[in-house]
Amino acid sequence: MELNNMIATPLYKQLEEKLQEEIENGQRPAGSRLPTENELSETYHVSRVTVRKALAGLSELGYLERKSGKGTFVAEKKFQRSITGVISFTEMCKMMNATAGAKTIKIALEDPTEKEIEQMSLKPDEKILILERIRLMDNKPVLLELNKFPESFSFLFGENLNDVSLFEVLKKHGIIMDHSRKTMDIVFATSQEAKLLDIAKGYPLLRIESRIHDVDNTITNLCQQLCIGDKFKFIV
């Protein structure tokens, strides 16, 4: 859209919407530097005050970030998620117009710990199914996910778990995630975690541990997610 001072929409809002559209359609990719305020002012024939107001609005919405002495840059997408309720990673990516992905690292049956037996009300001698995946947003790793299920979930061995929503796979088998109880803390990436997430060893990660229940209030699984903190915005 071209700026038009003959319509009711303020010029700063028109400029804000134009730049937002260019960011969303990839004309201005994440990490790219915006022209200076003077350059934008000359390009769109508006005052620097108008430009500054448009940039401030986009910064508040999370589209831009200003780096002191370097300029204004298009911000990396931040994965928005609520810490209450249960919503799949895939669904949250859709809400952000981003593409969700998954890569399976491990799926195996193992012996549970005493704590896991108690938490999941397991039967004597029952094993647990371990599923580890890297979750991707727009082909970039953003978190490591470790799920632990009762042995009755062994049907997952027969499923393709790459680039699919685990919630949707479970729904096919009549299992619907309904609610969860979460705890959160900060940890630092080990060498292996850093390699999988393509970050430096010791990088801060947000650890989210969940006990997830189905609609019958049965604990379906224990889940641990290690999230790259600066890729996420959490909503309380």
Side-chain angles (χ1 to χ4, degrees), residues 26-225:
Q27 286 179 256
R28 297 185 184 274
S32 63
R33 185 179 180 278
L34 253 63
T36 65
E37 289 182 3
N38 279 338
E39 289 168 338
L40 289 170
S41 177
E42 291 175 7
T43 299
Y44 295 103
H45 307 292
V46 293
S47 69
R48 286 187 63 187
V49 172
T50 297
V51 171
R52 197 171 296 126
K53 198 168 182 179
L55 297 183
L58 289 170
S59 296
E60 188 173 334
L61 291 171
Y63 285 93
L64 300 177
E65 56 182 359
R66 300 188 180 193
K67 299 180 181 179
S68 181
K70 295 183 179 180
T72 302
F73 295 80
V74 178
E76 295 281 348
K77 281 183 181 177
K78 291 206 176 198
F79 181 51
Q80 299 184 35
R81 63 173 293 178
S82 170
I83 61 170
T84 60
V86 176
I87 184 171
S88 74
F89 178 92
T90 301
E91 189 60 32
M92 284 188 282
C93 283
K94 284 181 182 177
M95 291 165 61
M96 295 178 60
N97 295 317
T99 301
K103 179 181 178 183
T104 302
I105 305 169
K106 174 183 177 180
I107 181 168
L109 287 175
E110 297 183 358
D111 293 323
T113 64
E114 290 295 328
K115 183 177 181 181
E116 290 164 349
I117 292 172
E118 181 182 349
Q119 287 177 318
M120 303 175 76
S121 301
L122 300 178
K123 299 173 184 175
D125 300 322
E126 184 177 3
K127 294 184 178 295
I128 57 172
L129 185 146
I130 303 293
L131 173 62
E132 293 184 63
R133 299 195 299 170
I134 303 173
R135 300 311 312 264
L136 311 165
M137 182 174 69
D138 289 341
N139 292 317
K140 296 181 180 179
V142 293
L143 67 85
L144 294 176
E145 185 177 78
L146 169 64
N147 281 288
K148 299 177 181 180
F149 297 95
E151 191 172 351
S152 57
F153 281 69
S154 292
F155 58 81
L156 290 174
F157 282 105
E159 297 283 351
N160 174 21
L161 299 172
N162 292 316
D163 296 327
V164 296
S165 166
L166 182 58
F167 280 28
E168 290 302 314
V169 172
L170 293 175
K171 194 180 291 184
K172 285 196 313 180
H173 293 269
I175 300 163
I176 300 173
M177 307 295 203
D178 184 66
H179 59 282
S180 67
R181 184 179 181 87
K182 298 180 176 69
T183 60
M184 303 168 64
D185 63 352
I186 299 294
V187 295
F188 300 94
T190 64
S191 297
Q192 178 66 8
E193 291 161 354
K195 182 178 179 181
L196 293 171
L197 289 171
D198 194 23
I199 54 177
K201 179 183 177 183
Y203 200 91
L205 301 173
L206 180 64
R207 179 171 59 188
I208 305 174
E209 294 187 333
S210 307
R211 295 172 65 176
I212 302 176
H213 301 248
D214 63 13
V215 291
D216 296 321
N217 204 34
T218 301
I219 294 180
T220 58
N221 70 304
L222 305 176
C223 178
Q224 175 186 271
Q225 294 176 318

